[in-house]
Amino acid sequence: IDYRKEPPKLIVDTPKLRMWHKMDRTFRVPKTSIRLQLNSPEVYRSPRAITLNRLFQKVLTDDLNSYVYDATVAGCNYRVSCVPSAYRFSVSGYSEKLPHLLDVVTARIASLIQEMKEGDEAHPALAEIFKKAKDNLLRQTKNYIYDSPYETGSYNMRMLMETPVWHISDYIAEMEGEYAEHDPLTMKECAEVAEKCLFGRSKAVSLCIGNID
């Protein structure tokens, strides 16, 4: 039997979560990869919403480096990203330790949101991470003009064909300029928006590949 052609099996099917699992019958090593996409209509609600969610993703990634460094040394890895429709999480590594890594990441998301909601004065180090994330995101957004013609063409085509859709100039206006000075992005607002997306009205889709209980 060629198990490589065997499709993943749907093991959880609820209004909030659909999860597929595919057993590793080829290499038979104690490793697993889990990918989860948390879809929420709030992520891309407005230019401000998607900008704040991308900032939270950057702060979370920076913050988690200190929490999961030992896990990455031991062969376990994680990744968090924010796209217009959802947050995406992925963890991979040895099956025995992977559930613990996933618990650490999800628990830190909840505690990080709470700390950010307490404000700059309560957590000055976190405020510095937020400021650095905002500077990095602004620089990355501005660098769009240096993308290849193919990437630029694809982006402009998306502007024409999708709705609702926001232009990069809308994102830049949220972080720099007269409007940004009048109503600046704050760490507290960032946490509140992220909390609404991650713990509010959402639906998760997940794929697990490997050998895990």
Side-chain angles (χ1 to χ4, degrees):
I1 300 176
D2 188 354
Y3 291 110
R4 292 174 299 179
K5 296 181 180 179
E6 186 179 272
K9 294 181 179 179
L10 182 63
I11 59 174
V12 179
D13 189 5
T14 69
K16 284 288 187 178
L17 171 66
R18 301 191 78 195
M19 173 176 276
W20 282 264
H21 176 248
K22 180 175 174 62
M23 182 75 74
D24 173 19
R25 300 178 185 272
T26 303
F27 300 102
R28 299 186 180 183
V29 293
K31 286 190 173 183
T32 302
S33 175
I34 301 174
R35 295 186 178 182
L36 184 142
Q37 178 165 305
L38 190 62
N39 300 299
S40 170
E42 302 297 332
V43 176
Y44 202 64
R45 179 71 67 185
S46 66
R48 193 175 185 87
I50 184 63
T51 300
L52 288 166
N53 279 297
R54 285 172 174 160
L55 283 173
F56 180 77
Q57 176 260 314
K58 286 183 174 294
V59 172
L60 176 64
T61 300
D62 194 322
D63 179 82
L64 280 174
N65 286 336
S66 61
Y67 275 78
V68 298
Y69 174 76
D70 291 340
T72 57
V73 172
C76 293
N77 298 287
Y78 77 95
R79 178 179 174 81
V80 181
S81 59
C82 178
V83 296
S85 60
Y87 274 90
R88 291 175 178 169
F89 304 89
S90 64
V91 291
S92 60
Y94 292 99
S95 305
E96 182 182 1
K97 299 298 182 182
L98 209 58
H100 177 64
L101 174 61
L102 195 57
D103 286 343
V104 169
V105 172
T106 53
R108 183 52 188 157
I109 289 174
S111 61
L112 180 64
I113 287 176
Q114 184 58 41
E115 290 176 13
M116 292 177 68
K117 287 168 69 175
E118 292 172 2
D120 297 9
E121 294 184 1
H123 301 279
L126 200 54
E128 188 62 30
I129 294 176
F130 179 77
K131 181 179 181 301
K132 184 174 71 173
K134 187 159 59 172
D135 292 340
N136 289 341
L137 182 59
L138 179 60
R139 183 172 60 254
Q140 290 174 3
T141 307
K142 286 182 173 181
N143 284 344
Y144 159 77
I145 61 174
Y146 301 113
D147 280 353
S148 65
Y150 171 79
E151 293 291 342
T152 304
S154 297
Y155 184 82
N156 290 333
M157 181 65 71
R158 181 181 163 221
M159 292 293 106
L160 295 172
M161 299 183 66
E162 294 184 14
T163 183
V165 65
W166 318 113
H167 194 266
I168 58 166
S169 59
D170 298 319
Y171 308 144
I172 294 174
E174 295 289 348
M175 295 180 281
E176 181 182 72
E178 183 179 350
Y179 178 76
E181 292 177 1
H182 175 69
D183 190 13
L185 303 176
T186 65
M187 190 167 72
K188 181 179 178 181
E189 183 186 9
C190 179
E192 291 172 345
V193 169
E195 183 178 40
K196 190 174 183 180
C197 295
L198 293 167
F199 301 106
R201 186 161 59 98
S202 61
K203 183 172 183 178
V205 180
S206 180
L207 172 64
C208 176
I209 298 178
N211 305 315
I212 192 170
D213 292 334

